[in-house]
């Protein structure tokens, strides 16, 4: 049971004071009856709430897939640079949303945004072995020995040991590789590449566990995860 104003604010209907005004002015109905008390308590899953006649479909948590564009930081707020939260459309904007793990400002591709902390932990904790898949363009070819070192678990910056990665060749001529890692160390792919004498010239995340980036999403576009996607096994080894 939760206060009506809190429920509406949590669903992105407006700020606490905005929703209180809506309630006071008779814009909110519960099971078809106008309710004017912001502190009325109810179970949002058991009642039909509407604002100005429009149903509020209660969702405890939101799960959003974004095709992160270049030039935007994966943080909840930043006073200087646009964040992935800043570019969300209004209908998916609500308090408490944050990106699951971080992509660099110049990394593009799959980013999940949610307000479900347990989900985020299950995806980002290295112990959960959720592999993140990247399309990595380098400034030159990897040798078989380079690939073997990355797959064994390479040491970066002299003392930071990475867990074994998985490396595949996507386009040898253009130095494009697929790398899969289950950690999220700072600039990890770029530093792994540097450890074998290469620089990353473009980086795109294409999958997180079994969740793959929807190819119909243009740069900066978002959609909610389907229930099926949200329940996909994240760990595949
Ligand atoms: N590794 C990087 O270097 N950058 C990213 O954004 C993600 C993984």
């Amino acid at each position: 049971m939760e206060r009506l104003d809190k429920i509406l604010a949590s669903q992105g209907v407006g700020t606490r004071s905005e929703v209180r005004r809506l309630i006071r002015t008779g814009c909110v109905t519960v099971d078809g009856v106008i309710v004017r008390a912001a502190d009325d308590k109810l179970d949002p899953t058991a009642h039909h709430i509407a604002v100005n006649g429009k149903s509020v479909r209660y969702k405890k948590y939101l799960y959003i897939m974004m095709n992160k564009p270049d030039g935007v930081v994966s943080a909840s707020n930043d006073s200087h640079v646009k964040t992935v939260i800043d570019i969300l459309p209004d209908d998916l904007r609500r308090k408490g949303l944050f990106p699951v793990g971080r992509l660099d400002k110049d990394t593009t591709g799959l980013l999940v945004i949610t307000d479900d902390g347990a989900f985020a932990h299950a995806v980002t904790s290295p112990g959960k072995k959720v592999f993140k898949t990247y399309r990595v363009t380098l400034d030159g070819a990897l040798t078989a020995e380079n690939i073997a070192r990355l797959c064994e678990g390479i040491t970066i910056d002299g003392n930071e040991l990475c867990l074994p990665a998985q490396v595949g060749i996507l386009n040898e001529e253009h130095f494009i590789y697929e790398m899969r890692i289950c950690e999220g160390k700072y600039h990890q792919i770029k530093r792994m590449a540097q450890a074998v004498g290469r620089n990353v010239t473009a980086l795109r995340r294409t999958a997180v566990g079994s969740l793959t980036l929807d190819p119909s999403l243009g740069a900066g576009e978002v959609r909610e995860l389907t229930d099926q996607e949200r329940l996909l096994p994240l760990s595949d080894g």
Side-chain angles (χ1 to χ4, degrees), residues 68 74 102-108 132 134 181 183-192 200 203-205:
K68 182 193 169 295
S74 23
R102 284 188 174 232
L103 291 179
D104 296 337
K105 191 174 167 193
D106 59 357
T107 301
T108 60
K132 286 87 184 174
Y134 294 87
I181 57 173
E183 303 166 283
K185 295 184 193 294
Y186 182 66
H187 292 333
Q188 184 164 345
I189 296 278
K190 291 172 185 166
R191 289 159 73 210
M192 285 166 61
V200 171
L203 187 57
R204 180 169 181 75
R205 186 155 68 186

Coordinates of all heavy atoms in Angstrom, one line a residue, residues 68 74 102-108 132 134 181 183-192 200 203-205, ligand 1:
K68 N 22.9 3.7 -27.6 CA 23.6 4.9 -27.1 C 24.4 5.6 -28.3 O 25.1 4.9 -29.0 CB 24.6 4.5 -26.0 CG 25.4 5.7 -25.5 CD 26.6 5.3 -24.6 CE 27.5 6.5 -24.3 NZ 28.1 7.1 -25.5
S74 N 27.4 8.1 -20.1 CA 26.5 7.2 -19.3 C 26.6 7.4 -17.9 O 27.3 6.7 -17.1 CB 26.7 5.7 -19.7 OG 27.9 5.4 -20.1
R102 N 28.7 1.2 -17.4 CA 29.1 2.5 -18.1 C 29.7 2.2 -19.5 O 30.5 1.2 -19.6 CB 30.2 3.2 -17.3 CG 29.5 3.9 -16.1 CD 30.5 4.8 -15.4 NE 29.7 5.5 -14.4 CZ 29.7 6.8 -14.2 NH1 30.4 7.6 -15.0 NH2 28.9 7.4 -13.3
L103 N 29.3 3.0 -20.4 CA 30.0 3.0 -21.7 C 30.7 4.3 -21.8 O 30.2 5.3 -21.3 CB 29.0 2.8 -22.9 CG 28.3 1.5 -23.0 CD1 27.3 1.5 -24.2 CD2 29.3 0.4 -23.2
D104 N 31.9 4.4 -22.4 CA 32.6 5.6 -22.6 C 31.8 6.6 -23.4 O 30.9 6.1 -24.2 CB 33.9 5.4 -23.3 CG 34.9 4.5 -22.4 OD1 34.7 4.5 -21.2 OD2 35.8 3.9 -23.0
K105 N 32.1 7.9 -23.3 CA 31.4 8.9 -24.1 C 31.4 8.6 -25.6 O 30.4 8.8 -26.3 CB 32.1 10.2 -23.8 CG 31.3 11.4 -24.3 CD 32.0 12.7 -23.9 CE 31.4 13.9 -24.6 NZ 32.3 15.1 -24.4
D106 N 32.5 8.0 -26.1 CA 32.6 7.7 -27.5 C 32.2 6.3 -27.9 O 32.3 5.9 -29.1 CB 34.0 8.1 -28.1 CG 35.1 7.3 -27.4 OD1 34.8 6.5 -26.5 OD2 36.3 7.4 -27.8
T107 N 31.7 5.5 -26.9 CA 31.3 4.2 -27.3 C 29.8 4.2 -27.6 O 29.0 4.9 -26.9 CB 31.5 3.2 -26.1 OG1 32.9 3.2 -25.8 CG2 31.0 1.8 -26.4
T108 N 29.4 3.5 -28.6 CA 28.0 3.5 -29.0 C 27.4 2.1 -28.7 O 28.1 1.1 -28.3 CB 27.8 3.7 -30.5 OG1 28.5 2.7 -31.2 CG2 28.4 5.1 -30.9
K132 N 29.6 -9.2 -21.9 CA 29.2 -8.1 -22.7 C 30.0 -8.2 -24.1 O 31.2 -8.4 -24.1 CB 29.6 -6.7 -22.1 CG 28.6 -6.4 -20.9 CD 29.1 -7.0 -19.6 CE 28.2 -6.7 -18.5 NZ 28.6 -7.4 -17.2
Y134 N 31.3 -6.7 -27.7 CA 31.6 -5.5 -28.3 C 32.1 -5.8 -29.8 O 32.8 -6.8 -30.0 CB 32.8 -4.8 -27.6 CG 32.4 -4.3 -26.2 CD1 32.4 -5.2 -25.1 CD2 31.9 -3.0 -26.0 CE1 32.1 -4.7 -23.8 CE2 31.5 -2.6 -24.8 CZ 31.6 -3.4 -23.7 OH 31.2 -3.0 -22.4
I181 N 33.6 -9.7 -22.8 CA 34.2 -9.7 -21.5 C 33.1 -9.7 -20.5 O 32.0 -9.2 -20.7 CB 35.1 -8.4 -21.3 CG1 34.3 -7.1 -21.6 CG2 36.3 -8.5 -22.2 CD1 35.1 -5.8 -21.2
E183 N 33.6 -8.3 -17.3 CA 33.9 -7.3 -16.3 C 33.6 -5.9 -16.9 O 33.4 -5.8 -18.1 CB 35.4 -7.3 -15.9 CG 35.8 -8.6 -15.4 CD 37.4 -8.6 -15.3 OE1 38.0 -8.8 -16.4 OE2 37.9 -8.5 -14.3
G184 N 33.7 -4.9 -16.1 CA 33.5 -3.6 -16.6 C 34.6 -2.6 -16.0 O 34.2 -1.6 -15.5
K185 N 35.8 -3.0 -16.2 CA 36.9 -2.1 -15.7 C 36.9 -0.9 -16.5 O 36.5 -0.9 -17.7 CB 38.3 -2.8 -15.8 CG 38.5 -4.1 -14.9 CD 39.9 -4.6 -15.1 CE 40.1 -5.9 -14.5 NZ 40.0 -6.0 -13.1
Y186 N 37.5 0.2 -15.9 CA 37.5 1.5 -16.6 C 38.2 1.3 -18.0 O 39.4 0.8 -18.0 CB 38.3 2.4 -15.7 CG 38.4 3.8 -16.2 CD1 37.3 4.6 -16.4 CD2 39.7 4.4 -16.5 CE1 37.4 5.9 -16.8 CE2 39.8 5.6 -17.0 CZ 38.7 6.4 -17.1 OH 38.8 7.7 -17.6
H187 N 37.6 1.8 -19.1 CA 38.2 1.7 -20.4 C 38.8 0.3 -20.7 O 39.8 0.2 -21.4 CB 39.4 2.7 -20.6 CG 38.9 4.1 -20.6 ND1 37.7 4.6 -20.9 CD2 39.6 5.2 -20.2 CE1 37.6 5.9 -20.8 NE2 38.8 6.3 -20.4
Q188 N 38.1 -0.7 -20.3 CA 38.7 -2.1 -20.3 C 39.1 -2.5 -21.7 O 40.2 -3.0 -21.9 CB 37.7 -3.1 -19.7 CG 38.4 -4.5 -19.6 CD 37.7 -5.4 -18.7 OE1 36.9 -5.0 -17.8 NE2 38.1 -6.7 -18.8
I189 N 38.2 -2.4 -22.7 CA 38.5 -2.9 -24.0 C 39.7 -2.1 -24.6 O 40.6 -2.7 -25.2 CB 37.3 -2.9 -25.0 CG1 36.2 -3.8 -24.5 CG2 37.7 -3.2 -26.4 CD1 36.3 -5.3 -24.8
K190 N 39.6 -0.8 -24.4 CA 40.7 0.0 -25.0 C 42.0 -0.3 -24.3 O 43.1 -0.4 -25.0 CB 40.4 1.5 -24.7 CG 39.2 2.0 -25.5 CD 38.7 3.4 -25.1 CE 37.5 3.8 -25.9 NZ 36.8 5.0 -25.4
R191 N 42.0 -0.6 -23.0 CA 43.3 -0.9 -22.3 C 43.8 -2.3 -22.7 O 45.0 -2.6 -22.8 CB 43.1 -0.7 -20.8 CG 43.0 0.8 -20.5 CD 42.3 1.0 -19.1 NE 43.2 0.6 -18.0 CZ 42.7 0.1 -16.9 NH1 41.4 -0.1 -16.7 NH2 43.5 -0.2 -15.9
M192 N 42.8 -3.2 -22.9 CA 43.2 -4.5 -23.3 C 43.9 -4.5 -24.7 O 44.9 -5.1 -25.0 CB 42.0 -5.5 -23.4 CG 41.5 -5.9 -22.0 SD 39.9 -6.7 -22.0 CE 40.1 -8.1 -23.0
V200 N 42.0 1.3 -30.1 CA 40.7 1.1 -30.5 C 40.3 2.4 -31.3 O 40.5 3.5 -30.8 CB 39.7 0.9 -29.3 CG1 38.3 1.0 -29.8 CG2 40.0 -0.4 -28.6
L203 N 34.2 1.6 -31.1 CA 33.7 0.6 -30.1 C 32.2 0.7 -30.0 O 31.7 1.8 -29.8 CB 34.4 0.9 -28.8 CG 34.2 -0.1 -27.7 CD1 34.7 -1.5 -28.1 CD2 34.9 0.3 -26.4
R204 N 31.6 -0.5 -30.2 CA 30.2 -0.5 -30.2 C 29.8 -1.8 -29.4 O 30.2 -2.9 -29.7 CB 29.6 -0.6 -31.6 CG 28.1 -0.7 -31.7 CD 27.7 -0.5 -33.2 NE 26.3 -0.6 -33.4 CZ 25.5 0.4 -33.0 NH1 26.0 1.5 -32.5 NH2 24.2 0.3 -33.2
R205 N 28.9 -1.6 -28.4 CA 28.4 -2.8 -27.7 C 27.2 -3.3 -28.4 O 26.2 -2.6 -28.7 CB 28.0 -2.5 -26.2 CG 27.7 -3.7 -25.4 CD 27.9 -3.6 -24.0 NE 27.0 -2.7 -23.4 CZ 27.1 -2.3 -22.1 NH1 28.1 -2.7 -21.3 NH2 26.2 -1.4 -21.6
Ligands
LIG1 N1 35.6 -0.9 -22.8 C1 36.0 0.4 -23.1 O1 37.2 0.6 -23.2 N2 35.0 1.3 -23.2 C2 33.7 1.1 -23.1 O2 32.9 2.0 -23.2 C3 33.3 -0.2 -22.8 C4 34.3 -1.2 -22.6

